[in-house]
Structure formats: C-alpha cells, structure tokens
Amino acid sequence: MTLPHEGVDAAVIGIPFDTATSFRSGARFGPEAIRSASALLRPYHPALDVDVFGTLSLVDGGDIEITPGNALRTTEQIAAALEPVVAAGIVPLALGGDHSIVLGELRAQAAVHGPVALVLLDAHADTWDQYYGERYFHGTPFRRALEEGLLDPGRSTLAGMRGPLYEAADLQVPREMGFELITGDELVSMSPGQYADCVRGRLGDGPAYLSFDIDVLDPASAPGTGTPEVAGLQPREALDFVRALAGISFTGFDVVEVAPPYDSPGQVTALNAAAVAYDLLALLGVARRG
Amino acid sequence: MTLPHEGVDAAVIGIPFDTATSFRSGARFGPEAIRSASALLRPYHPALDVDVFGTLSLVDGGDIEITPGNALRTTEQIAAALEPVVAAGIVPLALGGDHSIVLGELRAQAAVHGPVALVLLDAHADTWDQYYGERYFHGTPFRRALEEGLLDPGRSTLAGMRGPLYEAADLQVPREMGFELITGDELVSMSPGQYADCVRGRLGDGPAYLSFDIDVLDPASAPGTGTPEVAGLQPREALDFVRALAGISFTGFDVVEVAPPYDSPGQVTALNAAAVAYDLLALLGVARRG
Amino acid sequence: MTLPHEGVDAAVIGIPFDTATSFRSGARFGPEAIRSASALLRPYHPALDVDVFGTLSLVDGGDIEITPGNALRTTEQIAAALEPVVAAGIVPLALGGDHSIVLGELRAQAAVHGPVALVLLDAHADTWDQYYGERYFHGTPFRRALEEGLLDPGRSTLAGMRGPLYEAADLQVPREMGFELITGDELVSMSPGQYADCVRGRLGDGPAYLSFDIDVLDPASAPGTGTPEVAGLQPREALDFVRALAGISFTGFDVVEVAPPYDSPGQVTALNAAAVAYDLLALLGVARRG
Amino acid sequence: MTLPHEGVDAAVIGIPFDTATSFRSGARFGPEAIRSASALLRPYHPALDVDVFGTLSLVDGGDIEITPGNALRTTEQIAAALEPVVAAGIVPLALGGDHSIVLGELRAQAAVHGPVALVLLDAHADTWDQYYGERYFHGTPFRRALEEGLLDPGRSTLAGMRGPLYEAADLQVPREMGFELITGDELVSMSPGQYADCVRGRLGDGPAYLSFDIDVLDPASAPGTGTPEVAGLQPREALDFVRALAGISFTGFDVVEVAPPYDSPGQVTALNAAAVAYDLLALLGVARRG
Amino acid sequence: MTLPHEGVDAAVIGIPFDTATSFRSGARFGPEAIRSASALLRPYHPALDVDVFGTLSLVDGGDIEITPGNALRTTEQIAAALEPVVAAGIVPLALGGDHSIVLGELRAQAAVHGPVALVLLDAHADTWDQYYGERYFHGTPFRRALEEGLLDPGRSTLAGMRGPLYEAADLQVPREMGFELITGDELVSMSPGQYADCVRGRLGDGPAYLSFDIDVLDPASAPGTGTPEVAGLQPREALDFVRALAGISFTGFDVVEVAPPYDSPGQVTALNAAAVAYDLLALLGVARRG
Amino acid sequence: MTLPHEGVDAAVIGIPFDTATSFRSGARFGPEAIRSASALLRPYHPALDVDVFGTLSLVDGGDIEITPGNALRTTEQIAAALEPVVAAGIVPLALGGDHSIVLGELRAQAAVHGPVALVLLDAHADTWDQYYGERYFHGTPFRRALEEGLLDPGRSTLAGMRGPLYEAADLQVPREMGFELITGDELVSMSPGQYADCVRGRLGDGPAYLSFDIDVLDPASAPGTGTPEVAGLQPREALDFVRALAGISFTGFDVVEVAPPYDSPGQVTALNAAAVAYDLLALLGVARRG
C-alpha cells in the first residue's frame, strides 16, 4: 500500500481476516461487503451538520495483506502496514475482519501516539486470556493490548456488553483491568448525552481509538456477524450514541465482525456497517472542522 | 382493466415498474409479493375498530400495463388507466413499483379532484430535479407533480426523511417549494397524535393523497427496497403514525418501492407492505363509516 | 426416550411437528434449528444473576416420536411421552413445532399436577373452535385444553395478541372463557414489572405453565414462523417481560412455531428462540435456587 | 370453481396441500410459485412444433379448496372438485402440492373414464402401504389408487426411481402390483424414443394419466421439493422423455412436489416445473391438433 | 476512464446497466459480482495451454458511466467510452449488464474495424424489432446493429437458442437477416470441433466479436439472469464450445445478463461468468501468442 | 469420544474445522449440515445391492475437539482422536471440515497401517508446499503427508483436477511425487470401469484411504464449498466413479470442504455430501460382506 500521504485526513483500509473467530466465520469478506453497501452514501451528514467528503481528504487504501490461518503473523502484518499511515497523521478507518485485528491496529496507534484510550461499542468485552488455548483470538485482543502497553484503561470506556457469560465474575475482569464497563442494559437506559459525558469524563486529553463491533447491534439489524447476541441495540440507538461523541478527536477507528455469508439478501448488516463507518468519518469531520 | 364500478369503494391496483430506480432494481415484482403476503389479512381491524372488508366494497383491479425501460410513457399509461377509476369515485390503492409511478397516480387524481394535498411517509423527499440527467425518475416525482400543478404543497406534509445528503441545502428545497417537511429524527420525537395534528392542521378541506414509501421503515423491517437508509421507523411506529390519520378522507393511496429480490426469505418487507396497505384501507373504512 | 430421572431438574425435548399449520409450514425443523442456534449459550445469566447450568441438572431428551399428517394422534404421542417426565418431577422445556403440540404437553401437565395456569406470550390467543373444520389445529389448542379440563383460565394470562381479526368479538372469546387477555398494544404500554404483577396477581399457588410462541416477536426478529404478524415485540422487550416472571415456579415450558425454511440466512429466529429457551431455564434456576 | 366449460380444452388447477409430506413441507405454495415462474412462457413450442396457446383453449381454474392437516378429507375435496371438470371433457393440469393429491385426481379420472393407465416420472414409486402409520400420505397414493380400482397397472409405466431403499424387495413391490418400473439408472441408459416405445407398448387404447413429480430431476435443478434424491435427471433429459410421448392423448396431468421455501433465490425448481407444465400442455396440443 | 494504452492487450470494463430488461432486473450489479467471483482465477489455463496473465497485458478499466432508465443514451455513452479503447488496439471484455449494452459495444467495434462478425452464445437471438414498443431493449440489439450496419450477418453465427417462442417463424427471422442460427438442441448434438468448424467456415478474415449471454447456460448453473430458459448448456459443455474457438482473433468480447439478486448464495452464476470471461481472455492469449 | 469398540465396523466422525481455508470459510459447520441432510438415507443401496445398515455396525462418534485458528494443533488433535479408533479396527468416515484435516486422519491411518494408498476425488491436488507462507493449509496436506511418510504415492490415484493454475508445471508436481494424476477432463472421458481399473491397477494389496473433496462436483451441485471450480462432475457421474470402486477394502474415508453458509436454501451440497458418505459406507459394506 503506497498511500499519497500529503494532506490526506483519513484512509479506509480493509482487513479481510477471519481466522480468529470462535463461531461463525466469514468476516474475511466484510471489507468487500461494506464497500459495496457504501454506494448510497453522500457528502453531507445532516445530524452532525458536516460535509464529510468536502471537509476531509479521504482515500481508500485497499486491503492489507494478511495471512489466513495465522492470527499472530497477521497481527504483525497489520501493525506494519498501519504504522506509517498513522505516523503520517492519517486516521485509519479499518473495515474488518474479526476483532482480533484490532491488536495490530492498536500496535500502530501506540507506536505513534503512545497508549491510547479505547472507546468500544461491542456485545463482548473481548478481554479473555485465551480461547481454545489460543491467545491471539477475537475474544482476547484487549487483554493482549493491555499486556503490551498499548491501551490506557483508565481513560477507556467499553459499552454494550450483553448475553450469557461463563461465570458471574466475567464482567468484573475488564473492570479490574481498569476499564469502565457499561453493560447493554445500562447503556439503553442512558441518553446519548449521558453516554458521551461518561466517555468524555474519562478521556482527558490523550489519544483515543474507537472500535465498533457490529454485534453491538441486534441480530435483526446485524445477522451477518461471527458471534451474534440477541437483544442488542437498534441502529438508531447505536448511531445516536456514536454521534454524541462528536467533538472528540479520534486517532483511529474500526468497524469489525461483518460476516457477509450470514447477512440477509438485502445486506442489512453491511448497510449498517457502512452507515457506522460514515458516521465515524463524520466525527472526524467535526473534529477537523474545528 | 374493466372494473365493475357500481358501488365499489376502493381498488387495489398493481404497477409493476422499476425502470426509474437509482440503486437496487426489482420493484417490478412488488405487487406480486404484496398480494402474496396479504394472505393472512382478516376483515376486522382492532386498533381502528373497523370491519374493513365489511365496510368497504373492494376489488382487485389487477396490474396496469406499463412499459419497462420507459418511465415517461409509463407515467402516461398509469394516468390513463387510473383516471376513469378515480372519476368513478373509486379510491385507488396502488402497489408499486418504484416511486416514479406516483406521478401518473397524481395526474389521475388532479384530473378529477384538482390539486391534491400530499401526505408522504418516506426516507426521501423525492423532489430532485433530475438524476443522471433523467427528469422522470424515482427521486423526482414530486417536483414534476408540482410543476404540473398536481399538488398543493401548502396543504402537504412530507415526513420521515433521513440519511446522508448531497449538501446542507437539500432539505431546504422541498420546504422552499412550500411543503412541510418533518425529518425522521423529528418524526420519532413526536407522538402519533402530534404528527396527525400537524398533518390535519395543514390539510384543510381539499382532497388528500397518501403515499407510503416502504423505505421509511428500518432496513431490518424493509430490506427489500430500492434505496434503503439505515435507522428508520419500526413497523409499530409507522403503523401508529398511519392510524393516527384516521378520519381524513383520502382520495388515493400507494405503497411503493417494495423490491422482492432483496427481501428476506420470510418476506418481511412484503408482510409489512401488505399490513400498511391494509391499514390504508382501514383509514378509508373509518372515513366511509362516517 | 429413556431419561435418567434421578436428580434431573429439566429436560429439553423436541417436538418436530407442523401438520396443524394454517399458513407457512416448516416448524418440524424448529427443534433442530433451535438446538443449532444454542451453541453460543453459556452458564451464567447476568440479568437474573443465576448460574443456569450450574444450578440445574439438565438433559436433552431428544425428539418425541410424532406422526406427520395426524395432529390427533400426535397429541396423544406427546402426552404419553411427557407424562412420565412430568411425573418424575422433571420440568419439560418443549421446542416446537407448531402450537398444536401444546395440547399434548398440557395433558401431561394436568395428569400430574391437575389443571394448570397458562402464561402465554403469543400474537394469537389460539382459542378458535376449529380451522378449516379441523379441531386439532395450531389455532385451537387452548380451547381443547379448556374443554378437557387441563387449564385453569381464572389463573391464566394471555398476552401479546395483535393483528387483524375475523370480527370484533374475537378477542372477547378468550375473555369469556375466563382468561385474562392483554393485547400487544396494551402489553407494550406496560412495564415488565406491571406485566409480572398482573400475571402473579392471578396465578395464586397452583401449577403454572409458560408457553412462548415466537410470533409474539416482530417479524424482523422472527421471520421464520408459521403465521407472522407485523408490529410485534422487540427481543429486548420480550426478554424483559419473561425475566420479570422470575420467582414463579413453572412446571413446564415451551417455545413454539419456529419455522426454519422462512428464517434468515443468519437464523435470527432460531437465535431468539434459543435465547428465550435459555431464559426460561433461568427462570427455573431462580426458582430452584430458592 | 365455476369454469366456463364450453369449448375449454384444459384447465390449470392449483392444489395447495402439503400435509402428507414425510420430510420437507412447503409444497402448499407450489401452485403460486409455478404460476409466478410461468410468466416467460410463450405460445409456440419449437421442439414439438405446436402453437400451444393457439391450439388449445386454456383456463386457469384457480386453486381447489383443501383442508390443511387432513389428507383424507382433502382427497375427497379434490375428487369432488375435479370430477365435473373431467366429465366436461376438460383435461385438468394439476399443480401440487404433495403427491398425496394424485389420489383425488385419479378418483375424478376413474369416475369418468374408468381405470386409467399411469405414466409416472418420479424418484419414488409411491406405492407404500403406510408411512408413520398413515395410509393417506405422499408415499402411498398409487397403492390406494390400485386398491380403489382407479388404475390399470398392466397399462402403466413408472420411471425414474432411485435412491436408498428400506430393503432389496422394495422395488419389487410395484412390479408385483403389475406396474412396469424403470429405475433411474435404467432410464438414463435409454433414449427418449426407447422410453416412449416402452410406454406406448403398454398403454393400448384406454385413458392415460401423466404424473410428473419434480423430484425426478436432480436436486441442482429441483432443490425445492419435499424428499430430494441426489443424482437425478437433468431438465434437458426429462423434457426429452416427456416430449417423446407426443401423440398420446392423456386425460389428465399433474406436476407435484414443488416446495418453494427450499427453492433457490432464482426459483429454478419453479421454472422447471412451469416448463414441464407447458410441455404437458404441448403434448395435449399435439394430440388435439390431430 | 483514462486507460494506460501503451502495450495493453485487453481491458475488462463493467457496464452496470439493466434498464432494458423484460423480466428480472438486477444485471446492473453484474460487473461487481463477476469481479468478486474472479478472485480464484490464476494465470495458467491448462486446457488451452496458455499463461493468460503472462501472455497478455491486462487492465481493469472500471465501469462505464451509464444512465439508469435510459437505454438510448446509455448506448451512446458506451460507444463513446469504448471507441478510443478499440481504436488504441485494446480488446475490450465487457461485463454486463443486460444485453442491450452490446449495441454500444458494436458501434465502437464498427467505428474502428468496420462491420464485424458476431459469434453469439445465447438462449435468445435478440433480433426482435421492439419489445413493449421499445426499440432499444435487451431483446433487440442485433436488429439495431444490423440496421446500423455494424454487423456482417453472413460471417456471423448465433448458437444456443431455445425455449418457447411467439410463433413458428420466430427463428426464421434471424436466418432471413443472414445469420447462421444453431438452436440449443442442434448445438448439444454437435461436438465442440463441429461447432468451431461451423463458426470458422463463415468467419473468413474480417473482425469478429464474441458475445456470451450467461442464459445460454442451464438455470441450475445460471439462476441469476434476466430471462432464464430451462434446459440449457452445462458449464462444461459451454466452456468446451468456447475453447474450440481458439485461434480466432476476436476484437471484442462480452459476458452479459448476470443478475446477482437472483443468484444462489454461493454465487454460481457469477462464478461461471468469471470462468467464461477468463476463457475469453485465454482465447485472446492463444491468438496473441501466435 | 469414548466409542463402544466391540464389533463396530465404522464410525462417522465430524471434524468442524475451517481455519486452513484460502477463500470461503464456513466448513466448520459441514459435519452438522451433512448429518442434517442424511435424514432421508435408508438401509438398502440398490446400485451396489447391499444392506448398508444391516451389514455394518455403525456408530456416530460425534465431533472431534479441534482448535479454531490453529491448524497445526488441530492436526495433532485429529490424529490423537482417530488413532485409537483405527487401532480398534474401526473404519473412520470423517466429515469435514476443510481439507487440511486429512493430514491428521492420515497420521492415524499410518500409525496403525503404515503408509496408505490415497484415492482422491478432488478439483485440486492439494500438494502445494505452502500457501500465504502457511505449511499446514487446505492446499498442502498431501505434500505434508508425503514428507511424513504417511502415503505411498506409487499406489495412489488423484483424479478430478481442473481449473486455472499458477503455472504449466503445477500438475507435474504431484506426478513427480509419484502420484497418478487424472485431470477432470481425462476423468469425464473415462467410464467408471476404466477409472476403477486404473485405481485398482496401482493399489495392490496394502491399505487404502479414500478422500472425497466435495468440490470435485460442479458448483451447481456443490455451491457450498471453500474453493469452487466451475465445470465439475455431475453427482451421477461422481457416484458412478465411487461405486466402481466396490470391492476395494478401504481403511478410512472422508468427505470434506462442505461449507454450509454458501449452500443453497435446499442444501444441495449437504445432500450430495450425505449421499457420497452413504456410498462410501456402502463400499465398506460390500467389502465386509465378502
């Protein structure tokens, strides 16, 4: 990938990888599906009152070369591909791919910015130590990131966690790591403003990274994902939470876990993922507009 | 189409046309799908307390002959087919078909009733001047209708508009034409009664036409449509808005943009479209019952 | 089916029958689909704070042998298969199958416990006398159960009924039978606590049976069902209503009308059905935990 | 059904019944799907050189009223509905529906014509005595027909049987009943002319009925069917066998076991069924043309 | 489209247009689907013993800008876009798109090369005068091309025609225009060598254009197409016919009528179309290799 | 897995693994789909005249525990799980799963029997050295097996290879390893007897293993697979090749690369895979019957 760096604000970058998936595979075709579903997007974002494509200089950086079957090596490939992008002051918007890819993204972020705050919208906290004995997996990236010093948990907020757990203590684990954790039940009882206040109250001034796992949405709106959990957010709710973060200057974004083979014929998952990606760029547009 | 006019209150009429579609084609099979999904409908509407099939004399007028590939000529065919229906005092309920068909419907309405008020539920205002240089297209019918003097914008209400735009001024265009425009965000903050008050406050005594574009619903409930926009209405919300209009005496209805090839295997779009069509007939039943 | 009875709390039992369906057949594959979709379930239920698999001794009792094409005989086969299960103090959780199967389930319940209270979540009251002249059908089981003395209507609550009816009196029929009937419109205006108070206020001390027809959900979340009705509950709402019943000691459960051939490629209906089934077991876990 | 009998050659009649299905249900929507897929048919059949719609006076007789859940009663309803059609000299072309419906069709045929010869193309001989204890089922109609004296087995030919059996003697059963049975393996080794010679050699002068079970086709071409068997006929082969029967004057036809919920998105099963139905009418056209 | 002309042998060019479709629309997404399905293609073609990607300098020229809703204007846009490509000595391989697009392609061909010979593999001859009154439609391009002097019918061969016709004379029409017409029935009775001899025997020395309508394949292999006809070619047969043409130096190619919304979940139509496109490039590779 | 070894002839064993897939993932659900599609199988195999379920003592050994994301470890898990099965004289029939699993299977075979002959039906030879740098991948197992001394190439026959290659020498590689390689084009020109003679002529007396990759079938019959290649075998052809091997005493079997998320709604891939699996058991039945 040889990006024209001069003056570029953000780069959309696909990471077609799904080896580290515990249930339904297929997210390797997520980037292709999200790009296809983005055909209806237009420049102006009415809710945030920003001309996204006019304000930002955007490029599509294509897909990162990954290694199917090897999450460890792929993590390295992602970090190597993204670090020069981040170093050039370009905000990457990664399209996944299973959630294991975020570790490579965070390595690139931290290499340039130092430890970043994580703003996560996800049905799962992804802070397990291992899964089937695998340490590089889509349920473990944030623990690895913490071990590697890539994240600042005290400035981070994880929200949307729901569904059955292995044991009662499971949700305590990320909290003991220092993360703020807002369960899905708690999240839907908050207004977008309350959620954003909570996020902002912790963020402070350092760099921040927003990761959006499409499974935070209800399966009716995101059937095409690796580990669906019932009773999630409606797209309207999710976008309102995202938009409430306007003003924060994120240094990186991703939308992950879009698994097209399980999507509906009308590709509702990809449509929602493309809309979220567009809203993330709109957040950047608001921040850059000043 | 030779309808038995004597004593008929309403006619269900298919318009299997999708030439004027900008994104996903397929709405030509909309009428077939909606009819198929209507098999579970029964006479009595509990929410509006009306025996729809007992109160109204209904006929299925079959499909209007259209010209695939030619929106201009099709508009003429639709107007020619519907004018005698409207002139006979029959309320047509058109099943689309892409939204370009409404121009022909409005020509028939205006030829009999004079300019009508438009009550539109739709994700898009469809008031562009042209699209790819085409003036007869599914994003332009209401501007053409206005130019042709078929609509009374001062009595009309467009509601549900959402999604990215070309520029900030886009939503101003229909307002400058004289339409009341309620965005999707505004609509969901209103109660059904508030919405109906707004519609009624503008309508006055003249004729009124209700057009329901299925894409006003969220893609989870209406994946089978030409230009889906994320974060739309839930069916429960949409039906509550429709039902709040009970008492208004509409002279015509349509349900458009049902594109079956993108529908789910369970045909959720067609089911919702059939339910909306049934509710529109229930509105007529309430009006006729007096 | 030879269950190991000693110490078993509950048995999951499939009833792959769909002969008594009026519209879309296919529920015979419901048990297979629900089991497949249950792969992501884990022991601990955070909302009810109960270790479901740790608290309860659960078995999968396989499928009951039924007779496709013969609802009358199948009812007898179900009752014969379940009675020894219930008699052994095991709570059956039946996976359907069309709703006609509940008659066999209730015969087994009543044979052991006497007439039971029914807690029904369903888009339809299923209290018709016949359908196409058939008395053993998926729209008639609760009338048959009443005639056979299996139910105590004065202690029962039916909730979620919606959609067009044959006539205005239809909803009066179950009320005249003595059931409490909460329509879908009424239900969504209640809080989970209000609903549970209503159920508990009627239940008293006798045995209670909970039947969950998946069509109480909106078709976006349950497209794979025999007689979908638009504008139903969101999964989050439905689960909140179910969870509010914690503390009630049910003697039997079912989740019915899951018709996989109409489900989405991501199997959203089956996922929701599996989640409901898990929540029913969690109710039992709460009750057994004391 | 009130058909205009005068001068009508053939009537297309739907029988939307699937209660008597052993595996995949859904054939109740077969007639709707076949009619939908017939939209591309045109008058002239080049291979048989006959103007089908010009030669024959055809009507669509709609669907016969059946009783879901009750095969016995449905058989009577079919016979009652078809007998006046056959008596009026109209050749019925029934669209199924599971194969149990053929018993009602044959009762109507025999009531008018006396015992008929059966020309069957099917993966299964459907001559079981019972299935799950049910005597009126989609695997038993030809044994019932024989018992009722509706068929003349000595003039009949069953072809296309394939797939695993319960025991070695299974294929002997229909032979012992007097039917000629050509297995699928034997059939594909014959030329269309050889097959037709075999059929004609047995037929003699009496009335003949052709029943085409869509599962005689390979599942790649007929996935939407109740009991698919792998390794069946290609459509080109099947149509060549059918066309080779030109000159025989059949008194009735059916195309059965089309189960749309299992069909492909492009509806390949329904397309093939519509093509077979068209070819059956072409056979009649050839016979009537003289 | 600004192609790097120097030394380029062939350009793959999408034409996402489906306005001129008589039955199932959706071919506008054909180019996207064929490109997606081409991911598995590799350089070396064993049957033709040619290193396709090594022998040829290939570019992907993106999609031509077209006008949805306007076949006449689109034809002009296609011709304008392709003429400089052809003039530069680049062989275009167009991915459709409905078959109306071939008229624009042939205008570009004829503008550079003079009238070309047509080698057509298609279920339909596409030589109607009009369709629904439309003269620019997917069933009329070769008549228009003839009228415009773009084709040399005496050097052309149309093969694969099958399915019902309007009248017996229909197949005579293209023959009277001077085309050689080989029906589908005739084609499958020929060996690939016989077919190729027939094509070569007419071609002589002038320029030749190969158009492959995916509906020449059987619907089991090409369900995703606008006007499917049952009983078509198997992919193995079709590819053998194409490969037998090795040695002919074509000046242009297309693969048309791929309609993804009707394709199977495994995208079998797109896979076959990509394979045909690859084989067409292999023909060019053989010709260029000398 | 604790199998009851006494007197068991064969064990069906699922290996739900798809990490080592280069294109479409999803084969981890292959075992579940094949088992589901096997519901229609019956004891007697007419073509081979053997009572499969009567002759053989069969068990379903469930699924082997594997490690998603780790092909190397999974290979070890498979070998460890299967070796005691093979050592007990039980013939395993493995249901995959991507083709990388065969390495574990062959380790178990060779540990008990020494190097085995391979009879492979597959679109690909799977003898690459690495893929994306990965040595344990679904395109490499037979090279690894050769390196580990598990195979006797001189006694082995690989058949069905087709599709584009990286270079002309690709098909020479397995031949240079000592394998007999019959391309797909060669295979379809052979009779089943000729194929079987070729296989038998090489086999001699030692142990033999049959691996059936479902992608040897045409995508119309096997769309649900990881790396589909167009123009493959029809199921009728494939089964005839398999059946011609009757008499050979195989010590192990597999059916691999069934990827359900890409299968058709009617599950044609799984149906064909189940039929192949049944035929493999029939081969064993013939061998054991003596």
Side-chain angles (χ1 to χ4, degrees), chain A residues 141-286:
Chain A
F142 298 121
R143 183 183 289 247
R144 286 298 91 71
L146 213 59
E147 293 168 353
E148 298 185 12
L150 314 177
L151 286 179
D152 183 346
R155 296 175 46 238
S156 300
T157 307
L158 321 184
M161 288 74 216
R162 65 183 196 274
L165 301 171
Y166 289 110
E167 49 181 326
D170 284 358
L171 288 181
Q172 280 317 107
V173 171
R175 285 170 175 146
E176 285 163 10
M177 291 170 171
F179 292 109
E180 173 72 15
L181 188 149
I182 303 171
T183 68
D185 281 349
E186 292 163 354
L187 186 62
V188 295
S189 73
M190 300 167 82
S191 72
Q194 289 174 317
Y195 165 70
D197 286 349
C198 175
V199 170
R200 280 197 190 86
R202 293 175 62 85
L203 259 189
D205 286 336
Y209 184 90
L210 196 160
S211 182
F212 190 100
D213 187 321
I214 202 71
D215 69 17
V216 81
L217 297 183
D218 191 87
S221 290
T225 196
T227 47
E229 295 286 351
V230 307
L233 297 183
Q234 297 298 323
R236 217 160 68 195
E237 295 171 330
L239 292 180
D240 281 348
F241 287 126
V242 167
R243 290 166 186 176
L245 302 175
I248 300 174
S249 183
F250 291 99
T251 57
F253 301 106
D254 64 45
V255 183
V256 299
E257 294 286 354
V258 174
Y262 295 94
D263 207 352
S264 60
Q267 290 185 277
V268 68
T269 314
L271 286 168
N272 279 307
V276 169
Y278 174 78
D279 269 32
L280 298 179
L281 293 174
L283 292 184
L284 186 65
V286 170

Side-chain angles (χ1 to χ4, degrees), chain C residues 82-97:
Chain C
L82 288 183
E83 190 177 323
V85 176
V86 179
I90 299 170
V91 174
L93 166 53
L95 308 177

Side-chain angles (χ1 to χ4, degrees), chain F residues 262-275:
Chain F
Y262 295 94
D263 207 353
S264 60
Q267 292 185 277
V268 67
T269 314
L271 285 168
N272 279 306

Side-chain angles (χ1 to χ4, degrees), chain A residues 17-96:
Chain A
F17 182 76
D18 68 8
T19 289
T21 305
S22 56
F23 189 49
R24 292 177 172 170
S25 45
R28 65 180 66 187
F29 295 109
E32 179 183 45
I34 300 173
R35 284 188 176 103
S36 173
S38 70
L40 283 176
L41 297 175
R42 295 165 177 176
Y44 180 72
H45 190 297
L48 292 176
D49 185 25
V50 61
D51 180 343
V52 180
F53 302 158
T55 303
L56 299 175
S57 168
L58 295 170
V59 296
D60 188 323
D63 284 356
I64 290 178
E65 201 161 320
I66 54 86
T67 304
N70 194 327
L72 188 52
R73 188 169 157 224
T74 295
T75 298
E76 292 159 6
Q77 289 171 302
I78 295 168
L82 289 183
E83 191 177 323
V85 175
V86 179
I90 298 171
V91 173
L93 166 53
L95 308 178

Side-chain angles (χ1 to χ4, degrees), chain F:
Chain F
M1 191 180 57
T2 57
L3 290 168
H5 288 177
E6 201 64 52
V8 170
D9 291 293
V12 176
I13 293 170
I15 309 185
F17 182 76
D18 67 8
T19 290
T21 306
S22 56
F23 189 48
R24 293 177 171 170
S25 46
R28 64 180 66 188
F29 296 109
E32 180 183 44
I34 301 172
R35 284 187 176 103
S36 174
S38 70
L40 284 177
L41 297 175
R42 295 166 176 176
Y44 180 72
H45 191 297
L48 292 176
D49 186 24
V50 60
D51 180 343
V52 179
F53 302 158
T55 304
L56 299 174
S57 168
L58 296 169
V59 296
D60 187 322
D63 284 357
I64 289 179
E65 201 162 319
I66 54 85
T67 303
N70 194 325
L72 188 53
R73 189 169 157 223
T74 295
T75 298
E76 291 160 6
Q77 290 172 302
I78 295 168
L82 289 183
E83 189 177 324
V85 176
V86 179
I90 298 170
V91 174
L93 166 53
L95 308 178
D98 72 52
H99 219 156
S100 73
I101 63 173
V102 74
L103 181 59
E105 297 162 23
L106 291 174
R107 284 186 188 164
Q109 291 284 330
V112 175
H113 299 297
V116 297
L118 174 67
V119 177
L120 175 69
L121 285 157
D122 194 336
H124 314 92
D126 293 351
T127 51
W128 301 109
D129 183 43
Q130 41 184 289
Y131 225 94
Y132 300 99
E134 295 295 294
R135 302 182 71 249
Y136 294 86
F137 216 63
H138 77 152
T140 67
F142 298 121
R143 184 184 289 248
R144 286 298 90 72
L146 213 58
E147 293 168 351
E148 298 185 14
L150 314 175
L151 286 180
D152 183 345
R155 295 176 45 237
S156 299
T157 307
L158 321 183
M161 288 73 215
R162 65 183 194 276
L165 301 172
Y166 289 109
E167 50 181 327
D170 283 359
L171 288 182
Q172 280 317 106
V173 171
R175 284 170 176 147
E176 285 162 11
M177 290 171 172
F179 291 109
E180 172 72 16
L181 189 149
I182 303 171
T183 68
D185 281 348
E186 292 163 355
L187 186 62
V188 295
S189 73
M190 299 168 82
S191 72
Q194 289 173 315
Y195 165 70
D197 285 349
C198 174
V199 171
R200 280 199 190 85
R202 293 175 62 84
L203 258 190
D205 286 336
Y209 184 89
L210 194 161
S211 183
F212 190 101
D213 187 321
I214 202 72
D215 69 18
V216 80
L217 297 183
D218 190 86
S221 291
T225 195
T227 47
E229 296 286 352
V230 306
L233 297 183
Q234 297 298 322
R236 217 161 67 195
E237 295 171 330
L239 292 180
D240 281 348
F241 288 125
V242 167
R243 290 167 186 174
L245 302 175
I248 300 174
S249 183
F250 291 97
T251 58
F253 301 105
D254 63 46
V255 182
V256 298
E257 294 285 352
V258 175
Y262 295 94
D263 207 353
S264 60
Q267 292 185 277
V268 67
T269 314
L271 285 168
N272 279 306
V276 169
Y278 175 77
D279 268 32
L280 298 179
L281 293 174
L283 292 184
L284 185 66
V286 169
R288 289 291 159 95
R289 190 183 52 191

Side-chain angles (χ1 to χ4, degrees), chain C residues 7 30 35 68 88 109 111 118 125 139 160 178 193 210 240 248-249 259 281:
Chain C
R35 284 187 176 102
Q109 290 284 330
L118 174 67
L210 196 160
D240 280 348
I248 300 174
S249 183
L281 293 174

Side-chain angles (χ1 to χ4, degrees), chain B residues 12 36 44 55 67 74 116 143 151 157-158 166-167 171 173 192 195-196 198 203 218 228 251 254 264 266-267 284:
Chain B
V12 176
S36 173
Y44 180 73
T55 303
T67 304
T74 295
V116 298
R143 183 183 289 247
L151 285 180
T157 307
L158 321 183
Y166 288 109
E167 49 181 327
L171 287 181
V173 172
Y195 164 70
C198 175
L203 258 189
D218 190 87
T251 57
D254 63 45
S264 60
Q267 291 185 277
L284 185 65

Side-chain angles (χ1 to χ4, degrees), chain A residues 23-24 128 131 163-168 185 188 218-220 223 226-228 230-234 237 261-265, chain C residues 36-37 39-47 49 51 220-221 234-236 239-240 243 264-268 271-272 275 278:
Chain A
F23 189 49
R24 292 177 172 170
W128 300 110
Y131 225 94
L165 301 171
Y166 289 110
E167 49 181 326
D185 281 349
V188 295
D218 191 87
T227 47
V230 307
L233 297 183
Q234 297 298 323
E237 295 171 330
Y262 295 94
D263 207 352
S264 60
Chain C
S36 173
L40 284 176
L41 297 176
R42 294 165 178 178
Y44 179 73
H45 191 297
D49 185 25
D51 181 343
S221 290
Q234 297 297 323
R236 216 159 68 194
L239 293 180
D240 280 348
R243 290 167 185 175
S264 60
Q267 291 186 279
V268 68
L271 286 167
N272 279 306
Y278 174 77

